[in-house]
Amino acid sequence: MLIKPLLDENELLRKVTMGNEHAFKILYDHYRRLVYPRAFYLLKSESLAEEVLQEVMLKLWQTAGKLKADTNLAAYLTTLTRNRSFTLLKRKALEAKTDLELGKGWTEQDNGTEEGILLADTKKLLAKGIALLPPQQKLVYELCHLEGMKYEEAAEKMNLSVETVRGYMKLALRFLRAYLKTHTDVVALLVIFKLF
């Protein structure tokens, strides 16, 4: 899909560098029509395409000040989208291979008590990870994931844009997954998936 650049794109990028959320929203709304369809075409998954969209736009928010004035933003975002999509495809292939390996010789047994203890320990570990989050990420995680608020509701409560709330949630989840992976073993990871 061919997306024409915005007339005042360089000015919008300059404003984004200064933290202007309105300028970012204009860029986000304009270029989501490029990023999401491309990610969906590559990944064949709405949720994964949405994940790529959020990550690409978060990257734009973080790198807007580093882009040169003559940067072709559409090409830049297309490259980010392709690279992130391929990374996700590789991860999914690795997960499928791992699931297959773990599934060999797996027998279903009733380990209710053991699983209950493991789940309780994992919840404690998750609580420690949540406590380590930066304040804004922690609040977004608690509002959206623990209290069940929608991003729009959390954004209104925190006086932030929905895109910012999504970005904070993405960063919080990424940190928590990494934290749990480094503080637990494979069996516990299987139980953790029940929490996410």
Side-chain angles (χ1 to χ4, degrees):
M1 173 183 283
L2 185 61
I3 300 283
K4 292 183 180 179
L6 294 164
L7 293 176
D8 54 351
E9 204 162 81
N10 287 333
E11 178 63 17
L12 289 169
L13 285 170
R14 188 185 66 73
K15 287 180 179 178
V16 168
T17 302
M18 296 186 305
N20 186 315
E21 291 182 14
H22 178 70
F24 179 71
K25 181 168 178 15
I26 293 170
L27 289 170
Y28 182 96
D29 290 342
H30 184 73
Y31 282 107
R32 79 171 285 125
R33 295 175 295 153
L34 170 76
V35 174
Y36 180 86
R38 173 113 358 161
F40 182 78
Y41 173 77
L42 293 169
L43 298 165
K44 309 294 189 257
S45 163
E46 289 180 8
S47 62
L48 291 178
E50 184 67 31
E51 183 177 333
V52 168
L53 172 65
Q54 297 309 318
E55 290 185 16
V56 166
M57 292 306 184
L58 180 61
K59 184 80 169 173
L60 176 62
W61 174 264
Q62 295 168 336
T63 61
K66 298 174 187 169
L67 297 176
K68 295 178 182 173
D70 62 345
T71 297
N72 180 335
L73 195 52
Y76 173 72
L77 294 174
T78 298
T79 300
L80 286 177
T81 302
R82 184 193 67 224
N83 292 347
R84 184 62 193 137
S85 296
F86 287 159
T87 300
L88 276 178
L89 286 172
K90 287 180 203 170
R91 188 185 80 196
K92 289 293 175 193
L94 181 62
E95 286 174 0
K97 183 178 178 184
T98 303
D99 288 347
L100 187 63
E101 291 299 316
L102 287 174
K104 290 179 181 174
W106 179 272
T107 56
E108 192 67 40
Q109 297 176 352
D110 183 17
N111 291 332
T113 305
E114 184 180 329
E115 189 174 295
I117 293 169
L118 190 55
L119 188 57
D121 289 347
T122 303
K123 284 183 179 178
K124 286 179 191 172
L125 186 60
L126 180 59
K128 286 181 183 177
I130 293 169
L132 294 173
L133 288 169
Q136 291 286 71
Q137 290 179 31
K138 180 180 177 185
L139 183 56
V140 166
Y141 182 85
E142 288 171 344
L143 291 175
C144 296
H145 207 74
L146 301 180
E147 294 181 25
M149 281 189 181
K150 294 183 176 169
Y151 289 163
E152 293 79 10
E153 295 169 327
E156 188 174 323
K157 182 170 185 163
M158 296 176 68
N159 198 24
L160 297 171
S161 73
V162 175
E163 290 81 16
T164 302
V165 169
R166 277 195 185 104
Y168 282 147
M169 178 60 92
K170 174 94 38 215
L171 292 171
L173 289 174
R174 185 179 298 150
F175 170 80
L176 290 172
R177 285 184 189 116
Y179 179 80
L180 290 171
K181 281 182 185 175
T182 58
H183 291 85
T184 186
D185 61 13
V186 175
V187 177
L189 283 175
L190 296 173
V191 175
I192 289 168
F193 290 125
K194 292 183 178 182
L195 298 175
F196 285 100

